[in-house]
Amino acid sequence: MTTALLNDDKMEKIRKADQVWRDEAYSCHRELKQKYETLSGFEIKPLYTPWDLRDGDYLRDLGFPGEAPYVRGVHPTMYRGRTWTHRQLAGFGPPEETNKRYKFLLHQGATGINGVFDYPTLRGYDSDDPEVYADVGRGGVSIDSIEDMQILFDGIPIDEVSVSLVTCQPICNISVQSMYFANAGNRGVPLSRLAGTSQNDFLLETAVTIAPSVTPPQVSFRLSCDAIEFCTKYAPRWNPISFAGYNYREAGCTAPQEVAFVIANAVACSEELIRRGYEIDRFAPRLSFFLSAHNDFFEEIAKYRAARRIYSRIMRERFAPKDPRSLMFRFHVQTAGVALTAQQPLNNIARASYHAMAAVLGGAQSVHVDAYDEALCVPTELSSLTALRTQQILQSETGVTNTVDPLGGSYFLESLTSRMEEAVNDILNDIEGMGGIVKTVEKGWIHGEISAAAYQYQTRVESGEMPIVGVNCFQIADEKLPIELFSLPETLQIQKAKLDRIRGRRDAAQVRKTLDALARGCEEEQNLMELLVEGVKGYVTQGEVSQTLRKVYGVWNPPLF
């Protein structure tokens, strides 16, 4: 930090001058009556000076891009060498329709695919299960068998395009990722050539997007680690997990909680893979993270920088890797969906733009910008294109890529980064004291923390303490919706017809053999993904896989508060 260049006498002069300014200049002027604090509750001073960084050491605390502790970026050249990947979330209805949207976005300049799946798929149900009829095709694309995966990526060069599978829950990921890999094999594409990411986060299944018939936390965690192990062995360019802090944040947690939960999760997965016999450098370089960009611009930038510093330190101290890539906190950012408003939806273009700016100034490796209509419906083609163009304008017109870490050295930002680090470390210590991230889920502690933070946030919005333009201030009486809503295509009947056809033509004996082998694999603690990548080629459905897992492992009732 800059304080390393100042001797004690100069620092003392700055401190005294700062006090004089506060007493004689600042105190004589009126200050607006409002709370000056970050979204997570960190108090903000009226002015920051080198005195606020008096304990700093530049080489220890900041260093250089591409070098530990990576606060200034994980690559030496950052965006001067390679820009962030432009990913736009897409998924709705049957795979035939989502395939068209993928191709449209790639044609318009997207450099990666973010594939999101509907609620039944995420929760491990087939589309024709009566329990999920109402949700088929909603919130994402329906995937029941490898045939749907073939349709979804038909005509897309999967050996050239980085694909993110937003398979939030391990019970979904174990099937859907297997289908993606099996489809690649059928197309003659070696797994070693596939680049992409699977979300695959057990916290989403057990603490955030809870659904009926949740597998126990330890089981969900095991499925997640099976995917990490499989990719470590067979798909070296694939990121087998993206610790989904974004979704924790959407559920209501604070910025420090978001970072603490993903890092605790990464530590637990690392310990488990080491227990299975893998050296840290075999898998750690491919652990990745998924964070939110929320409304508080500077707090979000500080969050990303603090996360890199904390992660680098913890990985070095706990696991002593030899490969520097094992210390790198690499992350994707999505602009905050929870910050979008149904009221005056065009305002969301501005919100998503400065969210994306925070992600880039914070050094993200890839970015998804929310469409302005996402608080109301699946994005239309126009709103998706506007979101993509937002990224392209940010890259091409603003100059933010000209230098690495342009806000580094800011007295305010560096002070906020250190404050964020302290708060995250406090939470990590709490998790460690309870026995780790899996234990905190089993005890219900994670659920309670997220619920309490969400309640506090909503209370501030409803009271007007936290202004939200168009919602609790600057409202429009008798507002008329200025945009056209997306109409979801018919999905249920299409998917039911496919499933009927598949079940009628597949080898039923082979399907039973696959499911029996899966059940034995559960009991014998085999890697289940190794069984499924071949098994799904016989048109075993996702619902059949999930039912087998639930039958063997049972289900879990999360603690409620």
Side-chain angles (χ1 to χ4, degrees), residues 46-179:
L47 185 71
Y48 289 80
T49 72
W51 177 256
D52 294 287
L53 308 182
R54 59 191 177 277
D55 297 324
D57 181 297
Y58 179 87
L59 294 178
R60 181 196 67 198
D61 300 330
L62 291 179
F64 295 90
E67 297 180 4
Y70 301 103
V71 178
R72 306 203 69 182
V74 294
H75 302 302
T77 57
M78 286 302 290
Y79 307 135
R80 286 173 65 117
R82 177 183 176 184
T83 188
W84 65 92
T85 302
H86 297 181
R87 296 189 186 277
Q88 286 308 125
L89 201 66
F92 57 85
E96 292 86 348
E97 295 299 322
T98 295
N99 174 265
K100 296 175 186 177
R101 180 65 63 86
Y102 286 173
K103 290 175 178 175
F104 170 76
L105 291 170
L106 290 171
H107 180 71
Q108 293 298 326
T111 54
I113 288 173
N114 254 26
V116 62
F117 303 94
D118 70 357
Y119 306 126
T121 302
L122 290 176
R123 288 159 174 79
Y125 292 87
D126 286 336
S127 297
D128 62 353
D129 190 315
E131 288 193 43
V132 300
Y133 279 177
D135 287 332
V136 174
R138 296 186 180 277
V141 61
S142 294
I143 298 292
D144 294 314
S145 74
I146 191 173
E147 179 178 293
D148 290 323
M149 193 63 72
Q150 292 164 348
I151 295 168
L152 184 62
F153 288 96
D154 179 54
I156 293 175
I158 57 175
D159 55 340
E160 299 175 11
V161 175
S162 174
V163 174
S164 177
L165 301 175
V166 188
T167 46
C168 305
Q169 306 187 26
I171 200 167
C172 162
N173 182 75
I174 202 75
S175 297
V176 171
Q177 188 177 353
S178 294
M179 291 175 190

Side-chain angles (χ1 to χ4, degrees), residues 487-503:
S487 179
L488 191 71
E490 166 56 37
T491 306
L492 177 58
Q493 298 308 317
I494 293 173
Q495 293 303 108
K496 285 180 70 174
K498 281 184 198 170
L499 284 166
D500 288 343
R501 186 175 67 253
I502 286 169
R503 291 180 183 131

Side-chain angles (χ1 to χ4, degrees), residues 32-38 43-44 456 460 465:
L32 296 175
K33 291 183 179 180
Q34 65 184 57
K35 277 189 176 181
Y36 290 92
E37 62 181 26
T38 71
E43 183 180 354
I44 299 175
Q456 183 178 27
R460 293 177 66 191
E465 178 186 343

Side-chain angles (χ1 to χ4, degrees), residues 39 49 58 67 74 86 89 92 125 131 137 167 371 376 398 420 443 447 464 496 505-506 518 524 534 546:
L39 201 58
T49 72
Y58 179 87
E67 297 180 4
V74 294
H86 297 181
L89 201 66
F92 57 85
Y125 292 87
E131 288 193 43
T167 46
L376 295 160
T398 63
M420 179 69 67
K443 294 175 181 177
H447 307 70
K496 285 180 70 174
R505 75 184 187 200
R506 68 186 183 178
L518 179 64
E524 297 170 4
E534 286 302 315
S546 301

Side-chain angles (χ1 to χ4, degrees), residues 17 24 44 84 150 189 199 234 271 284 336 377 466 495 524 535:
E24 298 182 2
I44 299 175
W84 65 92
Q150 292 164 348
V189 178
Q199 203 162 90
Y234 304 112
E271 291 173 341
C377 62
M466 181 185 299
Q495 293 303 108
E524 297 170 4

Side-chain angles (χ1 to χ4, degrees), residues 366-524:
S366 67
V367 177
H368 161 74
V369 174
D370 287 334
Y372 58 78
D373 53 3
E374 287 191 39
L376 295 160
C377 62
V378 169
T380 62
E381 197 169 271
L382 175 60
S383 67
S384 295
L385 182 60
T386 302
L388 176 59
R389 292 289 185 259
T390 299
Q391 295 213 51
Q392 292 163 337
I393 290 168
L394 182 58
Q395 175 191 332
S396 303
E397 299 183 16
T398 63
V400 294
T401 63
N402 287 343
T403 190
V404 181
D405 191 27
L407 296 184
S410 157
Y411 304 133
F412 172 49
L413 184 62
E414 299 299 356
S415 179
L416 189 55
T417 299
S418 295
R419 180 68 185 89
M420 179 69 67
E421 182 178 13
E422 292 171 5
V424 171
N425 283 331
D426 287 344
I427 300 169
L428 285 170
N429 290 335
D430 288 340
I431 293 171
E432 185 79 9
M434 285 181 275
I437 194 72
V438 178
K439 292 293 185 183
T440 64
V441 174
E442 292 173 339
K443 294 175 181 177
W445 184 80
I446 293 285
H447 307 70
E449 291 293 292
I450 293 176
S451 296
Y455 178 78
Q456 183 178 27
Y457 179 89
Q458 189 60 30
T459 299
R460 293 177 66 191
V461 172
E462 293 182 4
S463 69
E465 178 186 343
M466 181 185 299
I468 305 293
V469 173
V471 176
N472 58 17
C473 61
F474 304 106
Q475 296 161 293
I476 297 175
D478 302 321
E479 179 183 359
K480 295 181 180 179
L481 201 62
I483 61 174
E484 182 179 347
L485 300 183
F486 182 84
S487 179
L488 191 71
E490 166 56 37
T491 306
L492 177 58
Q493 298 308 317
I494 293 173
Q495 293 303 108
K496 285 180 70 174
K498 281 184 198 170
L499 284 166
D500 288 343
R501 186 175 67 253
I502 286 169
R503 291 180 183 131
R505 75 184 187 200
R506 68 186 183 178
D507 185 335
Q510 185 60 42
V511 169
R512 176 44 50 197
K513 183 178 178 181
T514 296
L515 295 176
D516 287 345
L518 179 64
R520 288 195 303 275
C522 294
E523 295 166 349
E524 297 170 4

